Amino acid sequence: MLTKAIDRPETSLKVQIKPYNLQFKRPAGTSRGVYTDHKIWYVIVSSSDNPRLWGIGECAPLFDLSCDYNDDYENKLRSFCKELEKDGYLNTEKLRNYPSILFGLETAIKQLEQQGSFKLWNTPFSNGSAGIPINGLIWMGDYDYMLEQIEAKMQQGFRCIKLKIGAINFDDELNLLKHIRKHFSATDITLRVDANGGFSPDDALDKLKRLAELDLHSIEQPIKAGQWEQMRYLTEHTPLPIALDEELIGVNNPEQKKELLETIKPQYIILKPTLHGGICGATEWIELANSMKMDWWITSALESNIGLNAIAQWCSTFHNSLPQGLGTGSLYTNNIDMPLEIKGDCLWYNPEGNFFDPNSL
């Protein structure tokens, strides 16, 4: 359950905020629009007695998606950071409705507690002895661009590929999926699609039936969030498993979470700490899903390698065998240098690798 506070360290805390603007290598398209850059805020929590002891976290809201983003976001972040300095502990309950801020601060404190190590949990992944299976992500674009990405991912050895759909003609998207199935069966390549709420409730079921003919694993968020009854109808009648993503955003109260899952009864849920309650709140979702025998996986939400590392480290504590959505580390021209590497279809962490210095920000 979501705890009220993280225990106070032995010394008082100092928090620095460092704005940073990530630049995409090429525009990243979803059915909501196209990203060319992503403004984020790093929070560096240090011990006032020993400034060389620090932890860094990433607050990376998505302006068109996060429940806690508005024009006053940075001022709100500074206010919470001042409270952390004053109180000496993080009031996670107070931060329920600010998931991206909670994620940044709780992971910074976690690293501080680990004496500044980026190895946040003790797992085979964190020890560098095991990788995390991930899906290869195909961004929206015209037919040729999406086909180019698909062929590159297959050549890299990915066994699970996720396509963002809804930007081009639906028949063209079906043809892309048919192209994969022509060369690889469902036992060779797992296919996921993400509509980002792009389907209309009126024609969604028909599209799900056509997609199901291609032996897909699942579809994320076929219709826009907030339409619980329509989504419940789809999960009851779909021939293709449905995973909820945007539907979980802004549902931060435990009773509301339970009500949503009991009402819609999705086949899967997808957890993104930046969007779904930080590490604390996303863990709460997982505990609910497990109690309902509902499957899930974890995905990053366009964070830099700082946030991606924290999410991957946390993800590795669950030993979930499904491919996770953690392949976003190569999206940016100015990403932070971290020893995360994709080998084949797995994300690996090298505890002996080169790490960045926060003074370089």
Side-chain angles (χ1 to χ4, degrees):
M1 297 298 292
L2 194 66
T3 56
K4 291 185 177 179
I6 292 175
D7 289 341
R8 179 173 183 164
E10 293 181 357
T11 60
S12 58
L13 301 176
K14 177 182 178 182
V15 185
Q16 299 178 67
I17 299 172
K18 303 261 188 172
Y20 196 78
N21 199 38
L22 293 161
Q23 300 291 328
F24 282 88
K25 290 179 179 177
R26 60 185 303 168
T30 76
S31 61
R32 296 185 305 274
V34 178
Y35 293 104
T36 57
D37 63 352
H38 184 196
K39 185 174 182 179
I40 63 173
W41 290 263
Y42 292 118
V43 286
I44 301 171
V45 180
S46 59
S47 161
S48 58
D49 293 343
N50 182 5
R52 291 178 297 176
L53 185 62
W54 53 268
I56 187 169
E58 178 175 350
C59 303
L62 296 170
F63 75 93
D64 60 345
L65 197 57
S66 297
C67 68
D68 56 353
Y69 182 80
N70 57 45
D71 293 340
D72 197 44
Y73 182 88
E74 186 168 332
N75 288 332
K76 180 61 69 173
L77 172 60
R78 292 187 183 281
S79 175
F80 282 124
C81 289
K82 288 179 180 177
E83 285 188 24
L84 177 59
E85 289 182 330
K86 176 178 176 290
D87 298 338
Y89 68 89
L90 185 64
N91 189 331
T92 58
E93 195 66 33
K94 189 173 182 178
L95 282 163
R96 270 192 182 274
N97 294 324
Y98 302 90
S100 66
I101 294 176
L102 175 57
F103 173 67
L105 291 175
E106 67 183 338
T107 51
I109 290 173
K110 178 69 174 178
Q111 186 180 4
L112 180 62
E113 292 172 343
Q114 300 302 313
Q115 303 297 305
S117 172
F118 282 100
K119 175 184 170 181
L120 304 180
W121 281 272
N122 185 20
T123 67
F125 171 78
S126 301
N127 294 328
S129 60
I132 299 174
I134 62 174
N135 61 234
L137 180 59
I138 309 300
W139 287 95
M140 287 180 172
D142 60 30
Y143 182 93
D144 291 338
Y145 173 54
M146 293 181 74
L147 180 59
E148 174 189 330
Q149 293 179 80
I150 290 167
E151 292 179 341
K153 294 298 182 186
M154 291 190 292
Q155 290 175 6
Q156 289 170 32
F158 280 93
R159 295 180 56 81
C160 179
I161 293 178
K162 169 183 163 180
L163 284 80
K164 287 186 173 291
I165 61 174
I168 62 176
N169 180 275
F170 184 65
D171 288 330
D172 287 340
E173 291 170 337
L174 285 176
N175 288 333
L176 286 168
L177 294 165
K178 289 176 182 177
H179 173 79
I180 301 175
R181 279 289 169 254
K182 182 178 178 181
H183 297 88
F184 299 93
S185 70
T187 56
D188 297 321
I189 293 288
T190 298
L191 290 178
R192 296 170 173 168
V193 293
D194 182 2
N196 285 127
F199 295 170
S200 163
D202 295 333
D203 65 4
L205 187 58
D206 178 64
K207 288 183 175 180
L208 294 178
K209 290 176 179 177
R210 296 178 69 187
L211 288 166
E213 294 173 358
L214 297 169
D215 293 321
L216 304 190
H217 173 269
S218 57
I219 181 169
E220 295 179 32
Q221 203 66 43
I223 62 175
K224 288 182 180 179
Q227 305 175 89
W228 287 20
E229 290 305 318
Q230 292 93 327
M231 187 69 84
R232 177 176 182 168
Y233 177 84
L234 291 178
T235 60
E236 287 178 344
H237 296 88
T238 182
L240 175 62
I242 290 174
L244 299 187
D245 178 357
E246 288 94 333
E247 199 73 63
L248 311 183
I249 296 173
V251 182
N252 301 316
N253 182 281
E255 289 74 23
Q256 291 176 321
K257 293 178 180 182
K258 185 177 181 181
E259 181 185 4
L260 184 150
L261 296 185
E262 288 180 341
T263 299
I264 297 178
K265 295 183 174 63
Q267 284 76 28
Y268 297 100
I269 61 172
I270 299 169
L271 286 315
K272 300 175 179 177
T274 288
L275 298 174
H276 301 141
I279 298 295
C280 294
T283 300
E284 203 169 66
W285 278 111
I286 288 173
E287 290 173 351
L288 272 174
N290 288 342
S291 71
M292 298 180 187
K293 302 188 183 307
M294 193 177 291
D295 287 331
W296 51 270
W297 67 88
I298 292 166
T299 299
S300 53
L302 301 182
E303 298 88 357
S304 76
N305 279 336
I306 296 297
L308 177 61
N309 176 68
I311 295 169
Q313 299 269 338
W314 168 68
C315 176
S316 71
T317 66
F318 293 101
H319 311 291
N320 187 325
S321 61
L322 290 173
Q324 310 295 301
L326 303 175
T328 57
S330 60
L331 291 177
Y332 301 113
T333 61
N334 59 339
N335 208 339
I336 299 299
D337 187 28
M338 289 283 288
L340 296 169
E341 182 181 2
I342 295 175
K343 300 178 185 178
D345 64 348
C346 288
L347 179 70
W348 289 80
Y349 172 80
N350 179 6
E352 305 300 325
N354 295 322
F355 297 89
F356 91 111
D357 182 343
N359 292 321
S360 64
L361 290 174

